[in-house]
Amino acid sequence: MDEVVKALRSASAKDAEAVRRAYDFAQKAHGTELRKSGEPYIVHPEAIALTLARLGMDRDTVIAGILHDTIEDTPTTPDDIEREFGKTVRFLVESVTKLSKLKYRGLERHVESLRRLLVATANDIRVIIIKLADRLHNMETIEFVEPVEKRNRIAMETMEVYVPIAGRLGIGVLKSQLEDLAFKTLEPERFQKIAVYLKNESEKAKGAIDEAVENLKKELTAARIKILDIHSRVKSVHSFAMKLEKKGNDIEKVYDTFAIRLIVKTEEECYRALGIIHGLWRPVPGRVKDYIASAKTNGYRSVHTTIITPQKVAIEVQLRTEEMNREAQFGIASHIAYKQGAARPPHDIPHSILWLSRFIPSLMKTKRVDTSGQGLSPATTRWFKELTEAAENFQGQEAFQQALKEDFFAERIFVFTPKGDVIDLPVGSTPIDFAYAIHSDLGDSMMGAKVNGKIMQLTGTLKNGDVVEILTKKSARPNRKWLEVVKTSSAKHHIRDALNKRAGGQPVR
Ligand code: MN
């Protein structure tokens, strides 16, 4: 428990004391109960508490992590917990307990599991973070689960339900660990093969990477750019496997097996450092990716470039500020933590929360999130508007599931207005989706579209990076056929509205 206390965000002696008290309470409650590994049960809650403390979660969450199995597995009652640790801890433990009663029944039902998990976060996102930490330790000790069918079922559920959630919430550290553990369980041979390959390649590349790090340090210091942190990382086994598949199994085409992460103070320094890097090594053409200007959907921000060292090793360099780094690793967890610490200036609503709110309108009403929409960038305000609308439109279970399927698994593209504003749409979106994403009036009066300066059919498919200009005419009207091609629920909703009005109130289905 010392390690947990040391990892706590809060340095207060009172918080440390409460965490230790929770540990003693859980130890007593679980008594002589053992894990399947044969270890005393308490190692499990202790591991979860450590994960939560390292994610920067607050005291109540860490305590709830320690107590998370007491209601289910021991005579402890919710009242006992409230008496000892207060209402919040009781609520968190009860919510986690309810979730663990759900049984995963295979792929066809997994959308339902996702939904329930997400709904469980409606009152408090901390519930799902405890659940993810719980799953991580269960996966770390999955080798002790028998028989193999049960092991595979748990690993499958991890891959299909928990990994996407961790990813969408931007909790990179949990996502990659969960993913590798599930992959190892489901495809042990393939996992082993790739793990060995990565290990051998890392050994071969070590000299070149260390040299690059040293050179970079020297040049940045000379340019008076303060390095807050610099380290290298090897791609995780599962993400390497996915990348390899995407590149048609051509290992030569995987450029980000090795990466150097460089943390600097400001955004401006990220770009300056990028220039210095390109002066030092030959960058691989087409590999500069500016996720600071256009963040990924889960909120990930960084600038990437790939260099080739004199030893012919390709290294991806990832440049970011401390805040971007925290967000990349901890995602939504960092926002909760910083809201409570009040150390974070109020600014854009994190993408992860916006995304969640699509499915859980009530999230927007919780105090933890600033929903005033004031002081937000125009792009964020638009996001916000679209999401709130979409959330309001989800009434039935069916509509909800459909939207979840479309959105959860769909990749997004970024396209631009002629003025350079970024519009974020699902893959397969049309100029119609684009127009309605900007304003319903624009969609209702559109007669044509120019994409990258050329006329495109309204029902054509947009690509990442397209510049889209909508041509309008006063007398233009939405067409019923558009309903079949649009991808966003917002466009569908507005088209139906416009058709309804024209039909004189006759509902259009
Ligand atoms: Mn557990």
Side-chain angles (χ1 to χ4, degrees):
M1 223 1 82
D2 289 346
E3 220 180 325
V4 176
V5 169
K6 229 170 71 199
L8 274 185
R9 277 189 62 76
S10 142
S12 105
K14 227 177 99 201
D15 288 350
E17 187 273 329
V19 167
R20 287 186 195 280
R21 199 152 48 81
Y23 178 83
D24 293 339
F25 184 96
Q27 195 166 34
K28 220 192 256 162
H30 287 291
T32 55
E33 193 187 344
L34 296 178
R35 290 279 289 174
K36 291 210 173 79
S37 61
E39 290 174 296
Y41 198 85
I42 194 74
V43 300
H44 173 61
E46 193 173 3
I48 288 158
L50 189 57
T51 301
L52 293 170
R54 284 183 177 155
L55 281 174
M57 301 306 292
D58 64 305
R59 182 197 69 179
D60 283 346
T61 312
V62 173
I63 292 179
I66 298 171
L67 303 176
H68 80 279
D69 278 331
T70 54
I71 295 183
E72 200 174 2
D73 299 350
T74 79
T76 306
T77 67
D79 285 338
D80 296 338
I81 292 179
E82 182 172 340
R83 201 167 44 245
E84 290 290 324
F85 303 101
K87 271 201 169 69
T88 307
V89 174
R90 174 197 180 135
F91 169 77
L92 292 173
V93 176
E94 275 191 302
S95 306
V96 173
T97 306
K98 271 184 217 144
L99 273 182
S100 59
K101 294 221 168 84
L102 294 169
K103 284 276 171 286
Y104 178 70
R105 291 193 188 81
L107 284 183
E108 71 280 5
R109 298 276 311 262
H110 90 274
V111 168
E112 176 59 13
S113 314
L114 275 171
R115 191 186 73 84
R116 292 200 191 192
L117 267 176
L118 290 173
V119 169
T121 65
N123 296 311
D124 204 313
I125 295 175
R126 292 178 290 182
V127 173
I128 210 163
I129 296 177
I130 297 171
K131 205 58 204 157
L132 286 166
D134 182 29
R135 180 51 61 113
L136 177 63
H137 188 250
N138 286 339
M139 286 304 297
E140 279 168 346
T141 50
I142 194 152
E143 59 193 290
F144 302 105
V145 173
E146 297 282 359
V148 64
E149 289 73 31
K150 189 173 175 199
R151 207 149 64 218
N152 286 342
R153 180 177 60 76
I154 295 170
M156 189 71 105
E157 183 188 38
T158 301
M159 201 60 122
E160 299 293 334
V161 178
Y162 290 88
V163 167
I165 285 184
R168 281 303 205 146
L169 298 184
I171 316 177
V173 285
L174 292 187
K175 176 183 178 258
S176 57
Q177 288 184 75
L178 285 168
E179 200 168 49
D180 269 11
L181 290 163
F183 184 39
K184 190 177 174 184
T185 309
L186 293 168
E187 295 182 68
E189 277 156 35
R190 190 154 152 245
F191 180 92
Q192 199 53 29
K193 221 171 104 186
I194 296 171
V196 168
Y197 170 82
L198 286 175
K199 190 165 165 274
N200 291 339
E201 290 301 301
S202 318
E203 272 160 24
K204 275 193 259 166
K206 190 175 181 302
I209 296 169
D210 290 349
E211 194 185 302
V213 168
E214 285 315 310
N215 279 337
L216 203 50
K217 275 188 190 166
K218 222 186 297 158
E219 292 294 323
L220 292 175
T221 311
R224 296 181 182 279
I225 295 178
K226 192 168 183 277
I227 300 171
L228 298 180
D229 188 29
I230 186 165
H231 61 270
S232 60
R233 73 103 182 94
V234 182
K235 211 168 177 57
S236 77
V237 178
H238 186 264
S239 67
F240 184 83
M242 287 293 107
K243 195 49 128 357
L244 203 54
E245 235 165 60
K246 215 165 112 188
K247 301 284 175 184
N249 282 318
D250 186 350
I251 279 183
E252 299 280 302
K253 284 192 187 137
V254 181
Y255 285 109
D256 60 349
T257 309
F258 308 112
I260 293 175
R261 271 185 198 146
L262 175 66
I263 320 291
V264 293
K265 235 175 165 165
T266 65
E267 219 174 280
E268 186 260 327
E269 283 179 340
C270 291
Y271 292 112
R272 264 209 300 143
L274 183 72
I276 291 170
I277 291 163
H278 288 169
L280 276 173
W281 297 279
R282 191 170 57 85
V284 179
R287 293 276 313 163
V288 180
K289 283 175 257 173
D290 189 349
Y291 298 122
I292 293 181
S294 299
K296 287 193 184 181
T297 324
N298 64 6
Y300 178 80
R301 287 184 301 156
S302 237
V303 175
H304 291 184
T305 186
T306 301
I307 56 157
I308 307 284
T309 71
Q311 300 90 340
K312 300 272 177 284
V313 176
I315 305 174
E316 182 173 88
V317 186
Q318 306 173 344
L319 303 116
R320 46 177 97 145
T321 64
E322 246 176 347
E323 192 196 342
M324 293 175 201
N325 190 47
R326 198 160 47 224
E327 165 112 25
Q329 293 184 287
F330 304 143
I332 208 167
S334 70
H335 293 287
I336 303 170
Y338 281 80
K339 276 268 147 52
Q340 281 169 349
R344 190 194 160 89
H347 85 337
D348 286 4
I349 298 176
H351 276 69
S352 41
I353 291 183
L354 283 174
W355 172 75
L356 263 179
S357 70
R358 268 193 105 126
F359 310 108
I360 314 155
S362 66
L363 196 62
M364 284 304 194
K365 294 182 194 112
T366 64
K367 282 194 206 79
R368 241 180 308 284
V369 185
D370 173 16
T371 59
S372 65
Q374 280 160 9
L376 300 175
S377 70
T380 311
T381 313
R382 199 163 38 235
W383 243 104
F384 183 82
K385 230 182 89 198
E386 194 207 321
L387 293 173
T388 320
E389 268 174 23
E392 280 164 4
N393 292 333
F394 289 143
Q395 265 139 18
Q397 167 98 347
E398 218 171 283
F400 176 88
Q401 293 216 356
Q402 196 51 34
L404 188 60
K405 268 186 205 149
E406 278 166 16
D407 200 273
F408 202 98
F409 303 103
E411 295 286 328
R412 312 281 294 188
I413 53 165
F414 294 101
V415 293
F416 299 91
T417 68
K419 279 190 194 150
D421 284 337
V422 184
I423 306 289
D424 170 15
L425 295 167
V427 163
S429 287
T430 63
I432 307 170
D433 291 291
F434 175 88
Y436 280 108
I438 293 175
H439 200 283
S440 59
D441 288 348
L442 189 62
D444 287 348
S445 58
M446 109 186 98
M447 55 154 290
K450 268 188 181 172
V451 174
N452 306 322
K454 286 188 197 130
I455 294 285
M456 186 200 240
Q457 277 203 341
L458 284 177
T459 53
T461 307
L462 296 174
K463 293 189 313 303
N464 229 342
D466 280 346
V467 178
V468 188
E469 186 187 344
I470 298 296
L471 310 170
T472 56
K473 196 162 77 182
K474 260 226 162 90
S475 58
R477 291 286 176 270
N479 185 320
R480 186 178 299 265
K481 289 207 174 98
W482 291 358
L483 284 172
E484 289 156 30
V485 294
V486 294
K487 285 279 182 280
T488 52
S489 24
S490 156
K492 253 176 228 169
H493 172 75
H494 286 302
I495 296 166
R496 269 198 205 110
D497 251 15
L499 293 172
N500 279 349
K501 268 186 214 134
R502 212 182 334 159
Q506 295 286 322
V508 172
R509 288 274 147 214

